[in-house]
Amino acid sequence: MVSHKCVEEFSLQFPANARAPRSARKKRSFKKEEITENDKTCAIDLLATVAENLLSETGSSHMSIDKPVEDHCLVKEEFPVEDKPLKPATLPEFNPYQGSSMSPCGFSSVISGKVEIEAEGFSHSGGIDSCQAGQDLKPSVDGGAVVLDARPNGVGSLGGSSSRTKVPSMGAGVSLGALDDVHMFSRDDDENFSGYICPRVTKKSPRSVPRVGDRRIRKILASRHWKGGSRHSEAKSWRNYYLHHQRSYPIKKRKYFDHISDSVSDDYRLRSKMQRGSRAVSTMKGPGASFVSSDSHVRLRIKSFRVPELFVEIPETATVGSLKRMVMEAVSTLLSDGHRVGLMVQGKKVRDDNKTLHQTGISQDNTHLDSLDFSLEPSSEAPHLLSSNPSGHVCEELSMCRTSDMDTLFKTEPDLALFPSGSFDKETAADDSKALVHAALTELSPPQPPRHKSNKQQQQQQQTAQRRMRRPFSVTEVEALVQAVEKLGTGRWRDVKHSAFEDADHRTYVDLKDKWKTLVHTAKISPQQRRGEPVPQELLNRVLNAHGYWSQQHMETLALPKPDYNPATFHTTWTNLLLMFRTSIGSSFRALALPPRSFNYLSSSSVRMENLTFFSEAGAKPRGALIVVEGLDRSGKSTQCAKLRSFLESSGHPTELWRFPDRETSVGQMISAYLSNKSQLDDRTIHLLFSANRWEKRSLMEEKLKGGTTLIVDRYSYSGVAFSSAKGLGIEWCKAPEVGLLAPDSVLYLDISPERAAERGGYGDERYERVDFQKKVSEFYQTLRDSSWKIIDAGDSMEEVEKKIQQVVLDKVKECALGKSLSLLWSS
DNA sequence: ATTAGGG
DNA sequence: CCCTAAT
């Protein structure tokens, strides 16, 4: 019955011939006919016969009785016999290879049948077989189905059958967890392994196989193989497949063939441990290699593992050896390529691959190990087995195709112990996984990555197989990270790592980047939603500030390339910026209404940024810096202010240049008249006017700064106090009216001697421009200095001064953007 | 080897 | 933390 069903399925799914290699087609075309009609039976019989011949000892063969049978039935129903398999007509459609390399004939030469592979924990010595086939699997005929017995290497069989798992030579495309696992096991027996493996087997390339006897084996692989380009459809087919079969058609997949006898279990245990440490010891080979036993391990013993049906087409002329190889290949391919294993604990799917076994509830003393199930699921991303081969040559090699309706079933015998390897907890179920592998766990062994060198892919996989240990960041580390990012910015993780985590080997820059990512997220969510060690809110605020700041920086950097404002592209540009911003900030943003444009700012061409201010909801809105430039007349203030403004704007910082007195205001008008010697005002009055002039602008100034605009102010309270004081007013009296104005984040004092300034010419237009008076002013300036001051030698070249200023200001602007709060002048 | 993102 | 694509 099984066979029958199989055939049907086969037919449905594979118009087998499609893929037959040209050679096969040519030679065996005649067979086609034979098979076409009765083929179902014939094929099976043939296969059975072949298998029978091949394997004399079938003691191990077991019919898969459980679910499989039912499944088969179902399958049968779903796929009525009507569908004639092997119809030439259908071939074209199914032929993945576009027929270029396929010939119609090929089909006839192939025998189709269902192969059931059983992995058993027998103590058979498969030495001979293994040598020939390079593996211990022994195909045998059972009830019309070919059964492969996987012989476990008993302890005693170490010497002889270790090679069973050796499948490295398989199709070029093969490379996966399953194989790895296999290798892993055999690894321990390396000695045996190496000693027993038939050179021919190991070295034989897939190609050679097909050539021998011109046999073609088709491995039915995932539909993707023949579906060629559409991954989507492929996935779909799988889905459908599962939908239809899932319930009763468990696809059982077994990951490892290694069976372990009780006596062997010890070995496994050792292996597990060894493997655990193996990450670092990937080179270890000998069984006796140093095993690093570490923490508690869970030993799992999978009693039975059923693998989906395996369909193999093989010419009668094929040799037993080739059949074995094909089967092995098919099996390996299927296991490694087409499926992933899912894990279920107590009937519940465990999707989080990152969970540790312990977290999942799988522990040594856990009582429900028996409730642990593995599911075999289609791997939508599985690589094409044959992909590695030039498409045109696929046929020449063994090709195994798994159609969506077919599955290869592997069944392990009760005694067979399967060990979950790294993949064990690696891939968890895909949504549609239905097939469940029932595993009785009786022992525990930590999943470990096998290390073998036979296959590069394997190696890679092995290396990545094990998840690194989870190491939550401590507050200290977070602080270091935040600090580093504030300094270096995001996007320079390498530098961040080197500057702050040089010694932390376990923190890679990617980790730091990831941590930053999570920190930003954490900072945005409510404290109640946060988990783990609480990070001080202060740090989170810094994270937000830094993130907002750097996000804007990045954004602006990207926008800068097109400094020239072009009305035609304005909208587009901003749209992009907004999108970018939204993306980078990950939160909503909004444009603030443009504050009334003040008519006193000198430069008005800063189109790009001045009108809009963004900030994340989290409140991480970088504020602008208040930069005051002071200095005697002719010290170069205006020039440097203009340069500085240009610089900041080109650096992506919204900037405005202000100047006091602001002659545009009503108060400013008065001041202007006074300065022009057109009016005589009392010194105190004029002082207060100047002060009033600044107060007039205070609110707008604060608004601008909080909106993110950096203000460069040419002269401020210091000038007012210094000049008035120079005229004889008490300095404290002069400062009084200024108290409460916004304190500059930085005061750039362009230091130049009065004499030198006078040399620069231009003096004489206004009454204060007299050297002696400038000297007094200079002295008062000095008394006003505080920590926010930066003395710049204005005697240097303009470029020199410019450079110094830029450096100072940039740091200050960044500091402000990162959260430096505004303070008040001469308060408290 | 790094960076940037998505999972 | 992992995995990948893109640099």
Side-chain angles (χ1 to χ4, degrees):
Chain A
M1 117 192 137
V2 172
S3 61
H4 190 69
K5 173 199 72 181
C6 294
V7 173
E8 292 178 3
E9 285 186 65
F10 178 82
S11 60
L12 252 183
Q13 307 275 347
F14 311 87
N17 327 354
R19 291 201 213 105
R22 300 175 194 146
S23 58
R25 293 184 291 186
K26 292 177 182 178
K27 289 188 178 184
R28 298 289 193 149
S29 61
F30 63 92
K31 275 208 169 182
K32 192 188 229 167
E33 298 177 352
E34 293 180 8
I35 296 173
T36 311
E37 289 291 331
N38 301 324
D39 20 351
K40 300 174 184 180
T41 333
C42 294
I44 293 172
D45 291 343
L46 285 173
L47 186 58
T49 302
V50 175
E52 235 171 344
N53 294 332
L54 292 175
L55 306 176
S56 54
E57 77 282 4
T58 47
S60 60
S61 66
H62 295 280
M63 288 296 286
S64 54
I65 300 171
D66 351 347
K67 301 172 184 178
V69 174
E70 294 179 7
D71 300 340
H72 290 284
C73 294
L74 287 179
V75 172
K76 205 169 187 177
E77 292 180 4
E78 293 191 12
F79 304 89
V81 180
E82 293 113 77
D83 298 86
K84 299 275 177 174
L86 311 183
K87 278 191 177 182
T90 60
L91 296 180
E93 293 182 356
F94 291 89
N95 185 347
Y97 304 105
Q98 291 299 324
S100 62
S101 62
M102 317 238 167
S103 67
C105 304
F107 183 68
S108 62
S109 64
V110 179
I111 294 172
S112 64
K114 171 188 176 183
V115 176
E116 231 184 279
I117 295 177
E118 294 185 344
E120 297 184 355
F122 293 102
S123 60
H124 280 54
S125 63
I128 295 173
D129 289 341
S130 64
C131 282
Q132 295 180 343
Q135 57 191 43
D136 289 28
L137 292 177
K138 296 186 178 184
S140 63
V141 175
D142 185 322
V146 175
V147 176
L148 290 183
D149 291 340
R151 295 166 186 296
N153 296 337
V155 172
S157 64
L158 287 177
S161 57
S162 60
S163 62
R164 72 181 173 300
T165 55
K166 183 97 185 176
V167 203
S169 59
M170 304 209 42
V174 177
S175 67
L176 295 188
L179 286 177
D180 292 345
D181 295 339
V182 172
H183 289 290
M184 166 172 94
F185 291 114
S186 60
R187 208 166 289 143
D188 290 341
D189 315 305
D190 276 0
E191 2 174 292
N192 304 323
F193 193 77
S194 58
Y196 285 81
I197 290 184
C198 238
R200 149 193 163 204
V201 172
T202 54
K203 294 194 173 184
K204 190 157 275 182
S205 67
R207 286 183 194 171
S208 63
V209 174
R211 251 189 226 149
V212 176
D214 190 17
R215 60 180 138 253
R216 319 207 177 259
I217 296 174
R218 292 170 181 245
K219 293 175 186 176
I220 296 167
L221 285 181
S223 52
R224 65 181 84 102
H225 288 284
W226 41 277
K227 285 208 172 183
S230 142
R231 185 176 251 231
H232 181 67
S233 57
E234 176 182 338
K236 193 174 182 180
S237 69
W238 270 99
R239 187 159 294 123
N240 292 333
Y241 167 74
Y242 281 101
L243 288 176
H244 294 295
H245 304 278
Q246 67 177 73
R247 285 177 269 161
S248 52
Y249 199 59
I251 299 169
K252 308 228 159 148
K253 168 182 184 171
R254 99 170 246 245
K255 295 207 85 179
Y256 315 101
F257 271 89
D258 300 78
H259 109 319
I260 303 169
S261 61
D262 290 345
S263 58
V264 180
S265 45
D266 286 335
D267 290 338
Y268 275 96
R269 234 169 304 188
L270 288 177
R271 274 177 212 137
S272 302
K273 293 174 183 177
M274 170 178 83
Q275 291 166 0
R276 176 156 283 223
S278 71
R279 269 204 142 210
V281 200
S282 60
T283 57
M284 189 183 333
K285 288 191 172 185
S290 63
F291 294 157
V292 182
S293 104
S294 45
D295 35 25
S296 55
H297 292 183
V298 176
R299 263 207 314 173
L300 302 177
R301 177 168 173 169
I302 297 173
K303 276 173 126 181
S304 72
F305 211 117
R306 182 170 290 281
V307 175
E309 292 156 293
L310 175 64
F311 295 80
V312 176
E313 286 179 88
I314 184 170
E316 293 178 278
T317 56
T319 63
V320 171
S322 68
L323 174 58
K324 290 176 180 176
R325 280 191 294 278
M326 280 202 303
V327 172
M328 191 61 220
E329 253 184 84
V331 171
S332 299
T333 298
L334 193 156
L335 290 177
S336 64
D337 231 4
H339 300 76
R340 36 174 65 175
V341 171
L343 172 65
M344 296 180 80
V345 176
Q346 293 186 308
K348 203 176 171 187
K349 251 183 198 175
V350 179
R351 290 166 180 276
D352 190 347
D353 293 347
N354 298 330
K355 272 188 177 178
T356 62
L357 294 187
H358 182 67
Q359 293 175 318
T360 310
I362 302 171
S363 57
Q364 319 177 71
D365 29 52
N366 192 307
T367 52
H368 47 269
L369 281 182
D370 56 331
S371 63
L372 185 58
D373 294 286
F374 293 97
S375 61
L376 185 60
E377 323 174 319
S379 173
S380 60
E381 296 184 13
H384 296 205
L385 171 61
L386 301 176
S387 62
S388 65
N389 301 322
S391 60
H393 300 287
V394 174
C395 295
E396 306 227 281
E397 302 190 18
L398 297 180
S399 65
M400 172 180 168
C401 300
R402 178 190 66 208
T403 63
S404 54
D405 294 37
M406 296 179 78
D407 287 297
T408 300
L409 298 178
F410 285 81
K411 176 185 176 184
T412 59
E413 288 307 300
D415 288 337
L416 183 68
L418 298 180
F419 290 80
S421 69
S423 58
F424 162 78
D425 63 331
K426 185 178 179 182
E427 289 296 340
T428 48
D431 295 0
D432 353 45
S433 68
K434 321 311 181 168
L436 294 183
V437 173
H438 220 70
L441 305 173
T442 56
E443 300 180 24
L444 157 164
S445 82
Q448 295 311 321
R451 47 202 126 56
H452 214 297
K453 301 188 174 181
S454 56
N455 185 318
K456 288 180 183 179
Q457 287 184 325
Q458 268 187 327
Q459 267 196 324
Q460 286 184 358
Q461 202 164 323
Q462 288 171 17
Q463 291 178 358
T464 57
Q466 183 140 17
R467 205 184 168 72
R468 285 192 301 153
M469 188 158 286
R470 189 165 171 279
R471 267 120 150 201
F473 278 67
S474 65
V475 173
T476 303
E477 286 180 299
V478 170
E479 185 163 9
L481 175 60
V482 170
Q483 192 177 317
V485 174
E486 286 178 339
K487 186 174 70 175
L488 304 168
T490 53
R492 294 176 61 191
W493 303 107
R494 203 282 199 78
D495 297 326
V496 170
K497 197 270 194 286
H498 286 154
S499 75
F501 292 81
E502 186 71 274
D503 301 325
D505 291 4
H506 58 293
R507 305 294 188 196
T508 67
Y509 41 78
V510 174
D511 293 331
L512 299 179
K513 184 266 294 179
D514 286 342
K515 180 56 184 177
W516 182 258
K517 182 168 60 178
T518 62
L519 274 176
V520 170
H521 177 260
T522 299
K524 288 177 179 175
I525 62 179
S526 68
Q528 293 72 45
Q529 295 175 292
R530 295 170 193 162
R531 291 178 298 172
E533 188 179 7
V535 176
Q537 186 58 44
E538 178 266 332
L539 270 181
L540 292 178
N541 289 336
R542 289 171 66 189
V543 167
L544 239 33
N545 286 330
H547 179 252
Y549 173 74
W550 289 108
S551 292
Q552 188 172 318
Q553 287 302 293
H554 291 169
M555 188 174 92
E556 288 165 2
T557 295
L558 290 173
L560 282 182
K562 300 173 182 177
D564 293 324
Y565 171 61
N566 180 335
T569 59
F570 181 82
H571 181 268
T572 300
T573 299
W574 271 103
T575 298
N576 291 335
L577 286 175
L578 294 179
L579 290 176
M580 288 162 55
F581 186 83
R582 179 189 286 157
T583 299
S584 61
I585 295 295
S587 62
S588 63
F589 59 88
R590 59 181 162 140
L592 287 180
L594 177 64
R597 187 171 185 138
S598 76
F599 29 156
N600 70 320
Y601 65 83
L602 302 180
S603 68
S604 60
S605 61
S606 57
V607 179
R608 289 184 298 107
M609 302 300 220
E610 71 184 16
N611 296 341
L612 299 173
T613 300
F614 303 92
F615 58 85
S616 66
E617 285 187 327
K621 58 178 176 183
R623 79 166 173 88
L626 176 55
I627 306 297
V628 167
V629 178
E630 292 284 8
L632 299 178
D633 291 336
R634 308 300 167 188
S635 61
K637 295 189 302 300
S638 297
T639 303
Q640 291 300 334
C641 281
K643 288 177 174 293
L644 179 57
R645 178 183 162 285
S646 297
F647 170 73
L648 289 177
E649 289 222 310
S650 66
S651 298
H653 299 88
T655 305
E656 285 187 16
L657 176 54
W658 287 15
R659 171 184 293 169
F660 285 111
D662 178 345
R663 306 189 189 206
E664 303 293 331
T665 67
S666 53
V667 174
Q669 300 292 317
M670 298 171 71
I671 295 173
S672 188
Y674 166 75
L675 292 175
S676 303
N677 290 323
K678 291 175 182 173
S679 66
Q680 296 297 317
L681 295 173
D682 175 74
D683 287 343
R684 287 185 167 73
T685 302
I686 191 62
H687 178 77
L688 294 175
L689 284 179
F690 272 98
S691 183
N693 185 232
R694 284 184 278 277
W695 278 98
E696 283 185 297
K697 310 295 295 183
R698 187 187 182 288
S699 62
L700 178 59
M701 184 180 279
E702 182 170 357
E703 194 178 332
K704 288 282 184 183
L705 293 174
K706 290 188 173 178
T709 300
T710 286
L711 300 179
I712 298 172
V713 181
D714 187 355
R715 290 193 184 287
Y716 197 53
S717 297
Y718 307 98
S719 286
V721 173
F723 278 77
S724 292
S725 294
K727 286 190 287 188
L729 299 179
I731 191 170
E732 291 308 317
W733 186 92
C734 293
K735 288 173 68 175
E738 312 294 323
V739 175
L741 286 173
L742 297 179
D745 290 300
S746 184
V747 176
L748 304 174
Y749 183 75
L750 301 187
D751 193 21
I752 188 172
S753 69
E755 295 76 11
R756 187 85 184 278
E759 291 172 7
R760 295 188 176 183
Y763 273 32
D765 295 315
E766 296 181 341
R767 67 183 62 196
Y768 292 151
E769 298 178 342
R770 291 168 296 161
V771 177
D772 57 330
F773 183 74
Q774 293 294 318
K775 283 185 178 176
K776 286 187 181 177
V777 172
S778 175
E779 290 167 10
F780 281 103
Y781 263 131
Q782 305 314 308
T783 68
L784 296 173
R785 283 173 57 174
D786 61 35
S787 62
S788 68
W789 284 49
K790 215 70 182 178
I791 309 302
I792 309 292
D793 186 350
D796 289 338
S797 69
M798 199 177 286
E799 292 69 28
E800 201 75 12
V801 173
E802 185 179 357
K803 269 273 194 295
K804 287 181 181 175
I805 290 177
Q806 289 176 357
Q807 184 192 325
V808 173
V809 173
L810 212 47
D811 284 346
K812 192 58 65 178
V813 168
K814 187 188 296 179
E815 192 181 314
C816 292
L818 289 174
K820 180 178 180 297
S821 60
L822 273 174
S823 57
L824 303 181
L825 194 62
W826 298 320
S827 298
S828 64

